[in-house]
Amino acid sequence: MRISDLNWMMVEEYLKRDNRCVLPLGSTEQHAYLSLSVDSILAERIALEAAEPLGVPVFPVVAYGITPYFRAFPGSITLRVDTYLAEQGFRGILIVNGHGGNAPAQSLAGEWMSDHPEIRVKFHNWWNAPKTWAQILAIDSVASHASWMENFPWTRLANVIMPDQQKPMSDLEYLRQLNSRSLRDYLKDGNYGGYYQRQDEEMMKIWRAGVAETRELLEHI
């Protein structure tokens, strides 16, 4: 259930029987031919589908992440690390993260939890969790930012035609040394490497694995 569909009295009643919640983290940044909101769309949707059978409330996705390297791509917005974590009135918090650049928030969550031992926090990168990542590799090992692995029916844009070739994998070590303008020049369209799209049947195998793995974490938090 979405927090936005509840009022404070409903939440207070819920907390009498359960103390778990889910906080999705996303980003607004370039994803080549896909939506600028890919990370936010995926984090929120997978959180909702995982939590729905358990009746655990899901907060609105934090739609802005840590992505300074993409500032040269129009529409990409970045935050600082210290804007992220604030104390919640829940005791079990699953943070479902959809953006690799938000990794510093994981360390911050660990530090915060050490100061609040009564609260359990799990930080979950849904796309590279073991079972989900294994499903991705079983389909195509050349998978990266803005490639086919993030191309779901709900992250595509209408009337946008994808290239049909496999883009060579970028030199990840090299691109980490680039400023935002040079990174844009190097990446061209923004895809780090790999095909731009695969069959929906394959994508749904990944999605089901991601939902199941996220739900399992929530069940045991």
Side-chain angles (χ1 to χ4, degrees), residues 78-96:
T78 186
L79 296 182
R80 295 182 182 275
V81 178
D82 57 9
T83 60
Y84 259 114
L85 209 57
E87 187 169 353
Q88 302 290 325
F90 293 83
R91 292 293 178 265
I93 304 171
L94 177 63
I95 298 175
V96 177

Side-chain angles (χ1 to χ4, degrees), residues 172-190:
L172 299 182
E173 290 300 321
Y174 174 69
L175 65 81
R176 292 188 185 102
Q177 303 171 32
L178 301 177
N179 61 36
S180 59
R181 181 70 251 182
S182 297
L183 180 63
R184 175 177 171 170
D185 291 342
Y186 176 70
L187 289 177
K188 306 303 183 188
D189 62 11

Side-chain angles (χ1 to χ4, degrees), residues 127 130-143 148-149 206:
W127 77 96
K131 295 177 183 177
T132 305
W133 185 245
Q135 184 62 62
I136 291 172
L137 294 181
I139 294 171
D140 187 345
S141 61
V142 184
W148 67 272
M149 67 172 283
I206 296 169

Side-chain angles (χ1 to χ4, degrees), residues 11-74:
V11 174
E12 185 174 63
E13 189 63 29
Y14 164 80
L15 288 170
K16 293 177 182 178
R17 64 180 187 275
D18 203 336
N19 59 22
R20 296 172 294 172
C21 70
V22 185
L23 174 64
L25 295 187
S27 180
T28 301
E29 64 177 27
Q30 73 82 14
H31 277 82
Y33 297 88
L34 303 173
S35 168
L36 283 156
S37 294
V38 162
D39 294 338
S40 300
I41 292 169
L42 297 180
E44 184 169 49
R45 186 176 181 125
I46 210 154
L48 287 166
E49 291 190 21
E52 192 274 334
L54 306 178
V56 174
V58 177
F59 280 87
V61 65
V62 179
Y64 302 105
I66 303 166
T67 180
Y69 34 83
F70 287 147
R71 284 183 297 182
F73 289 86

Side-chain angles (χ1 to χ4, degrees), residues 101-172:
N102 290 340
Q106 183 171 7
S107 299
L108 188 59
E111 293 174 10
W112 185 81
M113 189 168 60
S114 68
D115 293 331
H116 300 80
E118 74 283 5
I119 298 177
R120 308 175 307 281
V121 179
K122 288 185 179 179
F123 193 99
H124 176 51
N125 294 319
W126 78 266
W127 77 96
N128 70 354
K131 295 177 183 177
T132 305
W133 185 245
Q135 184 62 62
I136 291 172
L137 294 181
I139 294 171
D140 187 345
S141 61
V142 184
S144 66
H145 174 83
S147 75
W148 67 272
M149 67 172 283
E150 298 189 290
N151 188 332
F152 291 89
W154 38 88
T155 59
R156 294 177 205 141
L157 301 175
N159 303 317
V160 173
I161 299 174
M162 303 282 171
D164 58 6
Q165 75 273 18
Q166 184 183 52
K167 184 177 180 179
M169 193 64 190
S170 301
D171 184 337
L172 299 182

